[in-house]
Protein backbone atom coordinates (compact mmCIF):
# COMPACT_ATOMS: atom_id res chain seq x y z
CA UNK A 1 0.00 0.00 0.00
CA UNK A 2 1.09 3.59 -0.52
CA UNK A 3 -0.01 6.67 1.35
CA UNK A 4 -0.38 9.76 -0.81
CA UNK A 5 0.12 12.94 1.20
CA UNK A 6 -1.70 16.19 0.40
CA UNK A 7 0.24 18.73 -1.67
CA UNK A 8 0.49 21.08 1.30
CA UNK A 9 1.31 18.41 3.90
CA UNK A 10 3.85 19.65 6.46
CA UNK A 11 7.09 17.88 7.47
CA UNK A 12 5.52 17.23 10.87
CA UNK A 13 2.47 15.56 9.31
CA UNK A 14 4.71 13.39 7.09
CA UNK A 15 6.81 12.42 10.14
CA UNK A 16 3.70 11.58 12.19
CA UNK A 17 2.47 9.14 9.54
CA UNK A 18 5.90 7.52 9.27
CA UNK A 19 6.04 7.13 13.04
CA UNK A 20 2.68 5.31 13.17
CA UNK A 21 3.90 2.90 10.47
CA UNK A 22 7.19 2.26 12.27
CA UNK A 23 5.28 1.65 15.52
CA UNK A 24 3.45 -1.15 13.65
CA UNK A 25 6.81 -2.69 12.71
CA UNK A 26 6.46 -1.74 9.03
CA UNK A 27 9.18 -0.69 6.60
CA UNK A 28 8.76 2.85 5.32
CA UNK A 29 9.96 4.21 1.98
CA UNK A 30 9.59 7.92 1.43
CA UNK A 31 9.38 9.32 -2.09
CA UNK A 32 9.33 13.11 -2.29
CA UNK A 33 8.27 14.42 -5.70
CA UNK A 34 8.04 18.05 -6.74
CA UNK A 35 4.28 18.00 -6.11
CA UNK A 36 3.46 15.01 -3.99
CA UNK A 37 5.04 13.03 -1.20
CA UNK A 38 4.35 9.32 -1.22
CA UNK A 39 4.98 6.96 1.67
CA UNK A 40 5.35 3.31 0.69
CA UNK A 41 4.68 0.58 3.23
CA UNK A 42 6.58 -2.68 3.16
CA UNK A 43 5.64 -5.60 5.39
CA UNK A 44 2.57 -7.17 6.92
CA UNK A 45 0.04 -4.36 7.25
CA UNK A 46 -2.83 -6.51 8.52
CA UNK A 47 -2.83 -4.75 11.91
CA UNK A 48 -2.91 -1.32 10.32
CA UNK A 49 -6.24 0.50 10.14
CA UNK A 50 -6.48 2.18 6.70
CA UNK A 51 -9.29 4.49 7.73
CA UNK A 52 -7.29 5.66 10.79
CA UNK A 53 -4.34 6.52 8.52
CA UNK A 54 -6.65 8.24 6.04
CA UNK A 55 -8.02 10.43 8.81
CA UNK A 56 -4.56 11.65 9.86
CA UNK A 57 -3.68 15.27 9.11
CA UNK A 58 -1.98 15.77 5.76
CA UNK A 59 -3.05 12.40 4.31
CA UNK A 60 -4.89 12.48 1.00
CA UNK A 61 -5.49 8.76 0.40
CA UNK A 62 -4.30 5.18 0.95
CA UNK A 63 -3.86 3.27 -2.31
CA UNK A 64 -3.28 -0.49 -2.49
CA UNK A 65 -0.51 -1.70 -4.85
CA UNK A 66 -1.75 -4.76 -6.71
CA UNK A 67 1.61 -5.90 -8.11
CA UNK A 68 4.07 -8.16 -6.29
CA UNK A 69 6.73 -5.50 -6.92
CA UNK A 70 6.20 -2.36 -4.88
CA UNK A 71 9.37 -0.24 -4.80
CA UNK A 72 9.81 -0.75 -8.55
CA UNK A 73 6.22 0.26 -9.29
CA UNK A 74 5.21 3.55 -10.87
CA UNK A 75 2.80 4.22 -7.99
CA UNK A 76 5.72 4.58 -5.58
CA UNK A 77 7.41 7.27 -7.65
CA UNK A 78 5.00 8.64 -10.28
CA UNK A 79 7.48 11.16 -11.69
CA UNK A 80 10.03 8.41 -12.46
CA UNK A 81 13.46 7.69 -11.03
CA UNK A 82 16.80 8.88 -12.36
CA UNK A 83 19.91 6.84 -11.81
CA UNK A 84 23.08 8.80 -11.20
CA UNK A 85 26.25 7.08 -12.32
CA UNK A 86 29.33 9.17 -11.57
CA UNK A 87 27.55 12.44 -12.25
CA UNK A 88 25.54 11.32 -15.29
CA UNK A 89 21.80 10.85 -14.87
CA UNK A 90 20.24 7.90 -16.73
CA UNK A 91 16.55 8.67 -17.22
CA UNK A 92 17.26 12.41 -17.32
CA UNK A 93 17.14 14.81 -20.28
CA UNK A 94 20.24 13.52 -22.02
CA UNK A 95 19.93 10.25 -23.96
CA UNK A 96 22.15 7.48 -22.58
CA UNK A 97 24.57 5.77 -24.95
CA UNK A 98 26.65 2.77 -23.92
CA UNK A 99 28.96 1.05 -26.35
CA UNK A 100 31.89 -1.31 -26.56
CA UNK A 101 32.79 -4.85 -27.48
CA UNK A 102 30.95 -7.98 -26.43
CA UNK A 103 34.08 -9.14 -24.62
CA UNK A 104 37.30 -7.41 -23.59
CA UNK A 105 39.96 -9.18 -25.66
CA UNK A 106 43.13 -7.10 -25.35
CA UNK A 107 44.36 -3.66 -24.34
CA UNK A 108 44.57 -2.45 -27.94
CA UNK A 109 41.08 -3.69 -28.74
CA UNK A 110 39.36 -2.05 -25.75
CA UNK A 111 41.33 1.21 -26.16
CA UNK A 112 40.33 1.50 -29.80
CA UNK A 113 36.71 0.73 -28.97
CA UNK A 114 36.73 3.29 -26.14
CA UNK A 115 38.01 6.10 -28.39
CA UNK A 116 35.32 5.30 -30.98
CA UNK A 117 32.54 5.16 -28.41
CA UNK A 118 33.71 8.47 -26.95
CA UNK A 119 33.81 10.07 -30.39
CA UNK A 120 30.19 8.98 -30.90
CA UNK A 121 29.26 10.92 -27.74
CA UNK A 122 28.54 7.90 -25.54
CA UNK A 123 28.88 8.20 -21.77
CA UNK A 124 29.57 4.53 -20.99
CA UNK A 125 32.07 1.92 -22.13
CA UNK A 126 30.74 -1.64 -22.05
CA UNK A 127 32.70 -4.88 -22.33
CA UNK A 128 32.43 -8.33 -20.83
CA UNK A 129 35.28 -9.41 -18.56
CA UNK A 130 33.32 -12.37 -17.22
CA UNK A 131 31.34 -13.98 -20.03
CA UNK A 132 28.58 -16.44 -19.10
CA UNK A 133 28.62 -18.46 -22.34
CA UNK A 134 26.13 -21.08 -23.44
CA UNK A 135 28.97 -23.56 -24.10
CA UNK A 136 31.71 -24.21 -21.51
CA UNK A 137 34.21 -24.48 -24.41
CA UNK A 138 33.59 -20.90 -25.63
CA UNK A 139 35.79 -17.97 -24.53
CA UNK A 140 34.89 -17.18 -20.91
CA UNK A 141 36.49 -13.72 -20.70
CA UNK A 142 39.73 -12.21 -19.36
CA UNK A 143 38.12 -11.99 -15.91
CA UNK A 144 39.76 -9.49 -13.49
CA UNK A 145 42.38 -8.56 -16.09
CA UNK A 146 39.43 -7.55 -18.30
CA UNK A 147 38.08 -5.24 -15.57
CA UNK A 148 41.49 -3.57 -15.27
CA UNK A 149 41.70 -2.97 -19.02
CA UNK A 150 38.17 -1.55 -19.10
CA UNK A 151 39.03 0.88 -16.29
CA UNK A 152 42.21 1.95 -18.04
CA UNK A 153 40.40 2.58 -21.35
CA UNK A 154 37.51 4.39 -19.62
CA UNK A 155 39.88 6.63 -17.65
CA UNK A 156 41.87 7.45 -20.78
CA UNK A 157 38.70 8.58 -22.57
CA UNK A 158 36.52 9.96 -19.74
CA UNK A 159 33.90 7.20 -19.95
CA UNK A 160 32.10 5.22 -17.24
CA UNK A 161 32.45 1.44 -17.07
CA UNK A 162 29.50 -0.97 -17.20
CA UNK A 163 30.40 -4.65 -17.03
CA UNK A 164 28.75 -7.93 -16.15
CA UNK A 165 29.10 -9.60 -12.75
CA UNK A 166 28.20 -13.26 -12.41
CA UNK A 167 28.79 -14.13 -8.75
CA UNK A 168 28.33 -12.48 -5.37
CA UNK A 169 31.92 -13.41 -4.42
CA UNK A 170 33.44 -11.11 -7.03
CA UNK A 171 31.53 -7.90 -6.21
CA UNK A 172 34.21 -6.28 -4.01
CA UNK A 173 36.82 -6.58 -6.74
CA UNK A 174 34.36 -5.65 -9.49
CA UNK A 175 33.38 -2.48 -7.58
CA UNK A 176 36.99 -1.29 -7.74
CA UNK A 177 36.87 -1.16 -11.54
CA UNK A 178 33.22 -0.79 -12.59
CA UNK A 179 30.87 2.18 -12.20
CA UNK A 180 27.83 0.05 -12.94
CA UNK A 181 27.22 -3.70 -12.59
CA UNK A 182 25.44 -5.50 -15.40
CA UNK A 183 23.26 -8.46 -14.47
CA UNK A 184 23.01 -10.56 -17.62
CA UNK A 185 19.90 -12.17 -19.05
CA UNK A 186 21.02 -15.60 -17.79
CA UNK A 187 21.28 -14.32 -14.22
CA UNK A 188 18.12 -12.23 -14.03
CA UNK A 189 16.63 -14.65 -11.54
CA UNK A 190 19.81 -15.43 -9.62
CA UNK A 191 18.26 -14.13 -6.42
CA UNK A 192 21.40 -14.35 -4.27
CA UNK A 193 23.26 -12.27 -6.82
CA UNK A 194 20.40 -9.76 -6.98
CA UNK A 195 20.44 -9.37 -3.20
CA UNK A 196 24.21 -9.01 -3.16
CA UNK A 197 24.21 -6.23 -5.80
CA UNK A 198 21.37 -4.69 -3.80
CA UNK A 199 23.61 -4.56 -0.72
CA UNK A 200 26.57 -3.24 -2.73
CA UNK A 201 24.75 0.01 -3.55
CA UNK A 202 26.54 0.11 -6.95
CA UNK A 203 24.21 1.12 -9.84
CA UNK A 204 22.81 -1.92 -11.65
CA UNK A 205 21.93 -2.54 -15.30
CA UNK A 206 19.37 -5.34 -15.06
CA UNK A 207 18.86 -7.20 -18.31
CA UNK A 208 15.60 -8.96 -19.03
CA UNK A 209 15.78 -12.77 -18.84
CA UNK A 210 15.75 -14.68 -22.13
CA UNK A 211 12.24 -16.00 -21.46
CA UNK A 212 11.04 -13.75 -18.65
CA UNK A 213 7.79 -11.83 -18.48
CA UNK A 214 7.88 -8.13 -17.68
CA UNK A 215 6.38 -8.92 -14.27
CA UNK A 216 9.19 -11.40 -13.45
CA UNK A 217 11.72 -8.80 -14.56
CA UNK A 218 10.22 -6.13 -12.29
CA UNK A 219 10.15 -8.67 -9.45
CA UNK A 220 13.88 -9.16 -10.04
CA UNK A 221 14.37 -5.38 -9.77
CA UNK A 222 12.40 -5.47 -6.53
CA UNK A 223 14.97 -7.92 -5.09
CA UNK A 224 17.70 -5.33 -5.63
CA UNK A 225 15.57 -2.44 -4.36
CA UNK A 226 14.42 -4.32 -1.26
CA UNK A 227 18.09 -4.31 -0.17
CA UNK A 228 18.09 -0.51 -0.36
CA UNK A 229 19.65 -0.05 -3.80
CA UNK A 230 17.27 2.00 -5.98
CA UNK A 231 19.91 2.68 -8.65
CA UNK A 232 18.55 0.28 -11.24
CA UNK A 233 18.25 0.66 -14.97
CA UNK A 234 16.28 -1.99 -16.86
CA UNK A 235 17.56 -3.29 -20.20
CA UNK A 236 15.32 -4.92 -22.81
CA UNK A 237 17.55 -7.23 -24.89
CA UNK A 238 15.06 -9.37 -26.79
CA UNK A 239 13.20 -12.49 -25.74
CA UNK A 240 13.06 -15.99 -27.16
CA UNK A 241 10.15 -16.56 -29.53
CA UNK A 242 9.38 -18.91 -32.44
CA UNK A 243 11.02 -16.45 -34.86
CA UNK A 244 14.41 -17.54 -36.17
CA UNK A 245 15.25 -14.67 -38.53
CA UNK A 246 16.66 -12.75 -35.58
CA UNK A 247 18.64 -14.06 -32.60
CA UNK A 248 15.87 -12.92 -30.22
CA UNK A 249 12.73 -10.87 -30.73
CA UNK A 250 13.08 -7.28 -29.53
CA UNK A 251 10.02 -6.66 -27.38
CA UNK A 252 9.62 -2.96 -28.16
CA UNK A 253 6.32 -2.96 -26.28
CA UNK A 254 8.32 -3.60 -23.10
CA UNK A 255 9.44 0.04 -23.25
CA UNK A 256 5.84 1.27 -23.15
CA UNK A 257 4.75 -1.26 -20.54
CA UNK A 258 7.71 -0.55 -18.24
CA UNK A 259 7.18 3.21 -18.54
CA UNK A 260 3.58 2.73 -17.44
CA UNK A 261 4.17 0.22 -14.63
CA UNK A 262 7.57 1.11 -13.26
CA UNK A 263 9.45 4.20 -12.15
CA UNK A 264 12.79 2.78 -13.33
CA UNK A 265 14.60 4.00 -16.44
CA UNK A 266 14.76 1.55 -19.35
CA UNK A 267 17.35 1.22 -22.09
CA UNK A 268 17.44 -1.15 -25.07
CA UNK A 269 20.14 -3.54 -26.28
CA UNK A 270 19.42 -4.05 -30.00
CA UNK A 271 22.65 -6.08 -30.48
CA UNK A 272 21.59 -9.18 -28.54
CA UNK A 273 18.03 -8.84 -29.82
CA UNK A 274 18.96 -8.71 -33.52
CA UNK A 275 22.08 -10.86 -33.53
CA UNK A 276 22.89 -9.30 -36.92
CA UNK A 277 24.65 -6.02 -37.65
CA UNK A 278 22.25 -5.13 -40.46
CA UNK A 279 19.26 -4.82 -38.13
CA UNK A 280 20.85 -2.77 -35.33
CA UNK A 281 20.12 0.65 -36.82
CA UNK A 282 16.44 0.01 -37.38
CA UNK A 283 15.90 -1.43 -33.88
CA UNK A 284 17.87 1.42 -32.30
CA UNK A 285 15.81 4.12 -33.99
CA UNK A 286 12.58 2.34 -33.08
CA UNK A 287 13.70 2.16 -29.43
CA UNK A 288 14.38 5.89 -29.23
CA UNK A 289 11.03 6.67 -30.82
CA UNK A 290 9.30 4.30 -28.38
CA UNK A 291 10.65 6.37 -25.48
CA UNK A 292 13.65 4.36 -24.27
CA UNK A 293 16.09 6.27 -22.06
CA UNK A 294 19.15 4.90 -23.81
CA UNK A 295 20.86 2.22 -25.90
CA UNK A 296 23.64 -0.26 -25.22
CA UNK A 297 25.28 -1.43 -28.44
CA UNK A 298 28.19 -3.75 -29.18
CA UNK A 299 31.08 -2.08 -31.02
CA UNK A 300 34.35 -3.77 -32.01
CA UNK A 301 37.34 -2.26 -33.88
CA UNK A 302 37.30 -5.27 -36.19
CA UNK A 303 34.08 -7.30 -35.72
CA UNK A 304 35.20 -10.04 -38.14
CA UNK A 305 37.86 -11.25 -35.69
CA UNK A 306 35.78 -10.82 -32.51
CA UNK A 307 35.97 -13.86 -30.23
CA UNK A 308 32.26 -13.60 -29.35
CA UNK A 309 29.15 -12.20 -31.04
CA UNK A 310 31.09 -11.36 -34.17
CA UNK A 311 27.97 -11.10 -36.40
CA UNK A 312 26.25 -8.42 -34.34
CA UNK A 313 29.04 -5.99 -33.43
CA UNK A 314 29.17 -2.64 -35.22
CA UNK A 315 32.33 -1.09 -36.60
CA UNK A 316 33.40 2.18 -34.94
CA UNK A 317 32.35 4.26 -37.96
CA UNK A 318 28.88 2.73 -38.19
CA UNK A 319 28.37 3.31 -34.44
CA UNK A 320 29.40 6.95 -34.84
CA UNK A 321 26.95 7.37 -37.75
CA UNK A 322 24.17 5.62 -35.85
CA UNK A 323 24.69 7.84 -32.79
CA UNK A 324 24.03 10.92 -34.95
CA UNK A 325 20.69 9.52 -36.17
CA UNK A 326 19.73 8.46 -32.64
CA UNK A 327 20.37 11.96 -31.31
CA UNK A 328 18.42 13.55 -34.17
CA UNK A 329 15.33 11.48 -33.30
CA UNK A 330 15.79 12.04 -29.57
CA UNK A 331 16.08 15.82 -29.88
CA UNK A 332 13.07 15.98 -32.23
CA UNK A 333 11.03 14.08 -29.66
CA UNK A 334 12.25 16.30 -26.83
CA UNK A 335 11.26 19.46 -28.69
CA UNK A 336 7.82 18.02 -29.58
CA UNK A 337 7.30 17.16 -25.93
CA UNK A 338 8.30 20.59 -24.72
CA UNK A 339 6.07 22.28 -27.36
CA UNK A 340 3.16 20.15 -26.15
CA UNK A 341 3.75 21.28 -22.58
CA UNK A 342 3.53 24.98 -23.55
C1 LIG B 1 26.21 -9.07 -23.04
O1 LIG B 1 25.74 -7.94 -22.84
O2 LIG B 1 27.34 -9.25 -23.48
C2 LIG B 1 25.36 -10.24 -22.80
C3 LIG B 1 25.87 -11.44 -22.62
O3 LIG B 1 24.05 -9.95 -22.83
P1 LIG B 1 22.77 -10.84 -22.38
O4 LIG B 1 22.98 -11.15 -20.92
O5 LIG B 1 21.64 -9.91 -22.65
O6 LIG B 1 22.74 -12.05 -23.25
MN1 LIG C 1 27.54 -10.14 -26.59
Amino acid sequence: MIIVMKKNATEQEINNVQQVLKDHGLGVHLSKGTDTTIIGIIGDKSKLCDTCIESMDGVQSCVPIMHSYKLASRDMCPEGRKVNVKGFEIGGEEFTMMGGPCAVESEDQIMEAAYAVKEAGAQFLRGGAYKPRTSPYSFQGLEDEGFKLLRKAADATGLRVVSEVISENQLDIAAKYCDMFQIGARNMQNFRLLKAVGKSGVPVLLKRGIASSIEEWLDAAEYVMSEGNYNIVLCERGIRTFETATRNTLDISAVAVVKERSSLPIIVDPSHAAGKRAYIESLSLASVAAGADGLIIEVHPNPKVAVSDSAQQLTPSSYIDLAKKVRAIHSTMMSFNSDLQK
Side-chain angles (χ1 to χ4, degrees):
M1 187 171 84
I2 57 171
I3 299 166
V4 183
M5 301 299 294
K6 287 182 181 154
K7 281 199 173 113
N8 57 0
T10 63
E11 280 300 315
Q12 189 57 52
E13 287 166 347
I14 296 169
N15 289 342
N16 290 347
V17 175
Q18 291 191 87
Q19 195 53 53
V20 171
L21 301 175
K22 285 180 188 156
D23 292 346
H24 281 76
L26 294 163
V28 173
H29 293 267
L30 194 65
S31 169
K32 278 195 172 173
T34 34
D35 274 349
T36 328
T37 294
I38 288 174
I39 304 171
I41 306 174
I42 306 294
D44 175 13
K45 59 167 199 65
S46 54
K47 293 201 184 74
L48 197 68
C49 152
D50 292 9
T51 40
C52 308
I53 296 283
E54 261 174 342
S55 63
M56 286 182 76
D57 288 341
V59 174
Q60 184 174 303
S61 58
C62 293
V63 184
I65 300 186
M66 297 308 181
H67 308 292
S68 46
Y69 51 87
K70 317 255 179 243
L71 300 170
S73 74
R74 192 92 204 173
D75 309 293
M76 267 300 275
C77 185
E79 56 187 20
R81 296 181 194 276
K82 295 183 179 72
V83 173
N84 192 309
V85 185
K86 258 197 174 169
F88 178 76
E89 259 183 355
I90 304 177
E93 299 242 310
E94 199 181 328
F95 193 74
T96 304
M97 287 290 281
M98 303 182 179
C102 177
V104 183
E105 297 168 8
S106 67
E107 182 164 346
D108 286 350
Q109 174 242 21
I110 194 67
M111 277 293 177
E112 211 177 312
Y115 279 105
V117 163
K118 179 72 182 182
E119 192 182 331
Q123 307 88 2
F124 289 79
L125 176 65
R126 64 145 287 148
Y130 285 82
K131 297 299 303 173
R133 305 299 299 282
T134 305
S135 163
Y137 308 119
S138 302
F139 176 64
Q140 304 283 312
L142 296 182
E143 305 194 334
D144 292 348
E145 182 56 24
F147 282 151
K148 288 180 194 159
L149 295 177
L150 271 168
R151 183 76 267 158
K152 194 171 174 187
D155 287 347
T157 47
L159 292 163
R160 296 160 188 81
V161 170
V162 56
S163 193
E164 180 160 0
V165 289
I166 57 173
S167 142
E168 60 257 46
N169 304 327
Q170 67 169 145
L171 298 186
D172 287 346
I173 294 180
K176 282 194 196 154
Y177 302 104
C178 304
D179 303 307
M180 186 172 210
F181 291 156
Q182 176 174 319
I183 300 290
R186 288 155 194 82
N187 270 316
M188 189 208 84
Q189 284 190 317
N190 180 339
F191 299 117
R192 285 175 68 107
L193 182 58
L194 294 175
K195 284 187 179 187
V197 295
K199 287 199 179 80
S200 77
V202 174
V204 176
L205 182 65
L206 179 62
K207 288 202 155 192
R208 181 176 181 183
I210 290 164
S212 297
S213 67
I214 293 173
E215 181 152 351
E216 287 164 338
W217 187 19
L218 294 176
D219 279 334
E222 189 80 9
Y223 263 91
V224 180
M225 297 179 91
S226 66
E227 296 294 337
N229 187 354
Y230 292 5
N231 302 313
I232 306 176
V233 176
L234 299 166
C235 178
E236 161 62 37
R237 46 78 72 204
I239 47 174
R240 185 163 288 176
T241 67
F242 54 82
E243 183 54 70
T244 54
T246 47
R247 183 176 177 181
N248 291 287
T249 298
L250 180 66
D251 182 9
I252 201 84
S253 51
V255 175
V257 175
V258 163
K259 286 280 169 202
E260 182 192 60
R261 296 194 188 171
S262 175
S263 55
L264 298 172
I266 176 169
I267 70 165
V268 171
D269 170 351
S271 308
H272 291 87
K276 273 193 195 164
R277 243 182 310 287
Y279 307 146
I280 308 287
E281 178 174 309
S282 158
L283 299 188
S284 299
L285 301 181
S287 303
V288 191
D293 296 296
L295 286 165
I296 180 167
I297 296 176
E298 288 189 341
V299 185
H300 192 289
N302 185 1
K304 283 197 197 98
V305 301
V307 296
S308 58
D309 289 348
S310 157
Q312 70 193 32
Q313 304 205 53
L314 294 186
T315 59
S317 63
S318 47
Y319 183 70
I320 292 165
D321 288 348
L322 173 57
K324 287 180 195 147
K325 292 191 187 176
V326 163
R327 280 185 215 292
I329 295 201
H330 185 251
S331 62
T332 305
M333 285 180 49
M334 294 290 278
S335 53
F336 265 124
N337 290 343
S338 71
D339 284 352
L340 285 174
Q341 276 163 13
K342 276 176 199 159

